[in-house]
Amino acid sequence: MRSTRKHVLDSSSCPAHGGMGVLLDTGHACLSCSPCGPSVCSQFAKGVYAIIGVYDRKTVNMLMSFCGALHVCFVTPSFPIETSNQFVIQLRPELQDALVGVIEHYKWSKFVYIYSSDSGLTVLQKVLDTAAERNWLVTSVNVETMTEASFLKVFQDLDKRKEGQIIIDCELERLTSILKKIVELGKNVKSYHYILANLGFLDIDLTEFKKGEANVTGFQLVNYDDPNVSRIVQQWMDFDNKDPKVPKRGLKYTGALTYDGVKVMSTAFQNLRRQRIDISRRGNAGECLANPPAPWGQGIDIQRALQQVRIEGLTGHIQFNEKGRRTNYTVSVMELKPTGPKKVGYWNEDEKFVSTSAFTPGSNETYGFHNRTYIVTTILESPYVMLKKNHEQLVGNDKYEGYCVELAAEIAKHVGYQYKLKIVSDGKYGARDPETKMWNGMVGELVYGKADIAVAPLTITLVREEVIDFSKPFMSLGISIMIKKPTKSKPGVFSFLDPLAYEIWMCIVFAYIGVSVVLFLVSRFSPYEWHAEDYEENAEANPNQPSSSTGQMGQGGQNQPQQSLEQTNEFGIFNSLWFSLGAFMQQGCDISPRSLSGRIVGGVWWFFTLIIISSYTANLAAFLTVERMVSPIESAEDLAKQTEIAYGTLDAGSTKEFFRRSKIAVFEKMWSYMKSADPSVFVKTTDEGVVRVRKSKGKYAYLLESTMNEYIEQRKPCDTMKVGGNLDSKGYGVATPKGSSLRNPVNLAVLKLNEQGLLDKLKNKWWYDKGECGSGGGDSKDKTSALSLSNVAGVFYILIGGLGLAMLVALVEFCYKSRTESRRMKQSINDAMRCSTLTRMSGNGSGGENGRIIAHDFPKAVQTLPCMSHTAAMGLGASGM
């Protein structure tokens, strides 16, 4: 075949939807958007031998009519159609028989058939006819009339029926858009099985379906492993674009069909020339515009030559039957595996479907626990699942440690299956999106078949139980409040006063004064508190001590008996205060009441001080050694009443769902605040929530499960704490997909572990045995028994103050006494102070009972003397004047 130049028809002369067609003649070839109307007729009149191009449902009838009337062969890679027109050579093999064979192989009886009427209804008709014969339940959906809502409803209905078999019959471009929408809906998962009724399985981007581990089956016409095919594909890529900056596009199966079409035409014309068959356009060349149209006489020869072509092309063996359809061809059956697309079988007219892999029908179902590795989804959450410190050097399940890691191992041991831990991709537990109605997190992986079992701190809730199955709870808990631990208040200087309230101290002071006054009055009124002092007897007992009345010896000896007897009472107001103070301090006093009334007062005062001092002593140690913390929040009611401290939950979790659905007034108020708070109070992970609590300086409270709260409280830096009780009661359970055969064995394993006490042992191991804060948090347990100076500083201050006050009072007394003596002795104050100092420093001054100095009046003879010398003063002090 020779071509010398190309003509491009004006696009305005042809419909915009028409296919591209190459019109071949002996001297030239033309390219048109569709061989239709006067433009085609004018081109045909110039000498066209055959047409190669594509059609759609809007142009196919016109093209069939044109070719049949003019006897012009039309070679097309478009979708096959049912036609009796022998001048249509269809390069694309029919797929309906291969599709039915694959459906039978998978033993499908219920499935959805999504099709596009653009590519005809031949395959659909074949499937429906077979379904009627074999009682299949087929739901057909036309993508051209389907909206996004109806598309979503198709998958929602499949989810409800727990079905996931879908066939998609569309051209490559429309198929790509449908697959993209499926990925957006999150249906590219293990629980779905798609059959793509398309001959270019390797031309489709299935990366997202591979990530989602969805089951995808399709058909492949071009064998890229063939060396000849690989060579031509490489030439195609080199020719397609020589600019290294622009990515090169591979040869798709439609391009390969077109290539084979040109090769078929070239082979046919070469055979005609070799057979010396005259196909010149001279003579009866046909007339397009004649009425009726005049056919081309040599068209039959070309049609026969095309149908007789037998070659090996890019699409395999090419051969046509008497109707111009492909025959004796082989289509590969492909499946999407974790490693990529893989050939699992083939179909041809003689052998039908032949499987080349050890495929077990219904492989999505669980038929046994052995010889299969189950996917266990979980989430990185301390202490449930954590990465080991050397996890980079480890592989598989050995990289992880924690409560749920050991629990998963124990369950697998009891049930008897192999498993692989897989961290959930989006890091969420699982919640349903209110707009798309799609599940995310670990729940979504179970619902959409990405995992077989979930062993994690997954809360058992109603909405989750509707889509997945839970085992018996392996841990009970409730929602709790986490806040930053308040700064410990250091004991004050006068913290020794804290064991008793301020009111008690005031009452003690008033009681002390009142008892002293009552004792003073009782002693004054009671005759038994008065006694006589006999000075004469004292004088005889101490003859060296002169009488204080020596200066009056010569006066009336008759008055001597009255002066020797003096009525005294020891309980003056100051002694009464001293007695009460001594009893209160539990030190006693050298004076005591003699009367019955006075002793009653003393007895009740002693009983009072016994109880008060005992109570004080019992509480003193705690108040001096314990650094108390004042929490601003004690309950959920405290949180709801204020707005200064923000509070929130984990986003997409059961705690958030609890507040959203709660009908309790307090929780409704809290939910109203949380959903409208700006910035958002919700966090993506628990770690983020804990960090926010620690950095908020007490201005953020995090609502989370009590078990996690207790664990974090035992972790350094030990600056968080749980306040109040649990807001609800719930449990964690092991989850499996609805209807999974693992449900009962896993449930029994959890019950057995609980009865054996292993669950409690695991919790103690990961919560408390590995705790870093002790029972009191941090290193407090090492410091509570030691008192610092700040704890008892107030006692030293009182001691120093008392000593200073005593010195001040002594100085005042000395000055006052010196002034009095100076007046009596008629000497200067300085001399009197000097004399008094020398007298007191000598150490021979007279002392009375109880440390009270008995002041004697100086003799009048001495009063008249001038200031005594040092020796005289010493003698005076010795004589006890």
Side-chain angles (χ1 to χ4, degrees), residues 382-447:
S382 302
Y384 300 98
V385 179
M386 301 173 290
L387 288 171
K388 292 181 179 179
K389 293 182 179 179
N390 60 337
H391 67 274
E392 296 179 352
Q393 304 173 3
L394 304 174
V395 295
N397 300 340
D398 295 335
K399 296 190 297 183
Y400 307 103
E401 65 177 354
Y403 179 92
C404 286
V405 175
E406 295 191 16
L407 177 61
E410 290 294 334
I411 292 175
K413 178 181 176 181
H414 282 75
V415 177
Y417 63 82
Q418 296 180 348
Y419 70 98
K420 176 184 177 183
L421 289 175
K422 177 184 176 184
I423 304 301
V424 60
S425 57
D426 58 5
K428 296 182 179 181
Y429 287 89
R432 176 180 286 171
D433 191 297
E435 296 180 359
T436 62
K437 306 298 181 183
M438 301 297 297
W439 284 91
N440 57 20
M442 291 180 287
V443 178
E445 293 203 344
L446 292 176
V447 171

Side-chain angles (χ1 to χ4, degrees), residues 581-593:
L581 182 62
F584 183 76
M585 296 297 179
Q586 308 223 330
Q587 299 302 315
C589 183
D590 57 351
I591 58 174
S592 59

Side-chain angles (χ1 to χ4, degrees), residues 638-651:
D638 294 342
L639 277 178
K641 283 190 246 182
Q642 56 80 49
T643 56
E644 183 180 357
I645 300 177
Y647 50 91
T649 69
L650 180 69
D651 200 4

Side-chain angles (χ1 to χ4, degrees), residues 118-411:
D118 282 341
S119 57
L121 306 175
T122 306
V123 181
L124 174 61
Q125 188 60 50
K126 174 67 175 180
V127 171
L128 293 178
D129 293 342
T130 307
E133 296 174 1
R134 305 185 183 180
N135 295 322
W136 292 350
L137 181 59
V138 182
T139 303
S140 59
V141 180
N142 190 345
V143 294
E144 295 178 354
T145 61
M146 184 170 55
T147 62
E148 290 190 6
S150 59
F151 189 76
L152 177 60
K153 189 176 184 304
V154 169
F155 286 93
Q156 290 177 345
D157 293 341
L158 288 173
D159 289 340
K160 290 180 181 179
R161 300 196 303 264
K162 300 302 175 184
E163 299 173 5
Q165 292 81 28
I166 300 174
I167 298 174
I168 305 177
D169 178 15
C170 297
E171 290 299 293
L172 190 59
E173 183 177 353
R174 190 181 291 271
L175 175 62
T176 302
S177 64
I178 293 176
L179 295 179
K180 183 178 179 182
K181 190 170 292 294
I182 290 174
V183 172
E184 293 174 355
L185 292 178
K187 304 301 181 181
N188 55 323
V189 292
K190 194 173 182 180
S191 58
Y192 286 90
H193 191 170
Y194 299 92
I195 296 180
L196 308 182
N198 189 282
L199 291 170
F201 188 81
L202 298 179
D203 300 337
I204 306 169
D205 184 9
L206 298 174
T207 304
E208 296 300 324
F209 285 81
K210 179 180 176 182
K211 292 180 180 178
E213 299 183 1
N215 298 285
V216 184
T217 303
F219 304 92
Q220 180 64 29
L221 187 60
V222 180
N223 182 14
Y224 292 105
D225 294 332
D226 189 322
N228 294 329
V229 175
S230 300
R231 177 177 52 80
I232 295 174
V233 169
Q234 185 61 43
Q235 292 176 356
W236 171 280
M237 295 177 66
D238 295 340
F239 175 79
D240 180 57
N241 191 353
K242 300 188 181 204
D243 188 354
K245 297 182 180 179
V246 179
K248 298 181 180 181
R249 297 173 297 176
L251 178 64
K252 297 182 179 180
Y253 87 98
T254 51
L257 287 171
T258 304
Y259 177 91
D260 286 346
V262 175
K263 189 175 181 180
V264 166
M265 296 182 70
S266 174
T267 303
F269 281 105
Q270 289 176 1
N271 290 338
L272 288 172
R273 178 167 297 181
R274 192 179 302 112
Q275 296 173 12
R276 301 183 181 275
I277 297 176
D278 184 15
I279 54 171
S280 64
R281 294 295 301 270
R282 294 185 297 275
N284 184 12
E287 181 59 40
C288 177
L289 299 179
N291 190 13
W296 178 32
Q298 284 76 22
I300 294 293
D301 297 329
I302 296 177
Q303 178 264 335
R304 189 180 299 110
L306 289 172
Q307 288 184 356
Q308 293 175 353
V309 171
R310 305 286 188 273
I311 61 172
E312 295 295 329
L314 296 181
T315 60
H317 180 73
I318 300 177
Q319 182 178 347
F320 303 97
N321 60 17
E322 66 279 0
K323 295 182 180 180
R325 300 176 189 171
R326 282 281 293 267
T327 184
N328 198 19
Y329 58 90
T330 300
V331 176
S332 299
V333 179
M334 310 291 292
E335 276 190 359
L336 183 63
K337 300 291 185 180
T339 56
K342 180 181 179 182
K343 181 179 179 180
V344 296
Y346 62 89
W347 184 94
N348 58 41
E349 293 176 333
D350 296 330
E351 300 177 88
K352 305 301 180 184
F353 178 77
V354 177
S355 176
T356 59
S357 67
F359 177 83
T360 302
S363 60
N364 291 331
E365 302 297 332
T366 304
Y367 287 102
F369 300 136
H370 303 286
N371 302 323
R372 180 184 171 188
T373 300
Y374 288 86
I375 301 299
V376 177
T377 182
T378 187
I379 188 170
L380 283 176
E381 195 80 82
S382 302
Y384 300 98
V385 179
M386 301 173 290
L387 288 171
K388 292 181 179 179
K389 293 182 179 179
N390 60 337
H391 67 274
E392 296 179 352
Q393 304 173 3
L394 304 174
V395 295
N397 300 340
D398 295 335
K399 296 190 297 183
Y400 307 103
E401 65 177 354
Y403 179 92
C404 286
V405 175
E406 295 191 16
L407 177 61
E410 290 294 334
I411 292 175

Side-chain angles (χ1 to χ4, degrees), residues 75 109 299:
V75 181
S109 60

Side-chain angles (χ1 to χ4, degrees), residues 66 86 151 295 316 445 472 492 579 604 614 624 651 659 691 756 828-829 875:
F66 174 83
Q86 59 182 341
F151 189 76
E445 293 203 344
K472 299 295 183 182
F579 172 81
V604 297
S614 299
L624 289 181
D651 200 4
F659 284 99
V691 170
Q756 293 176 347
S828 66
I829 184 68

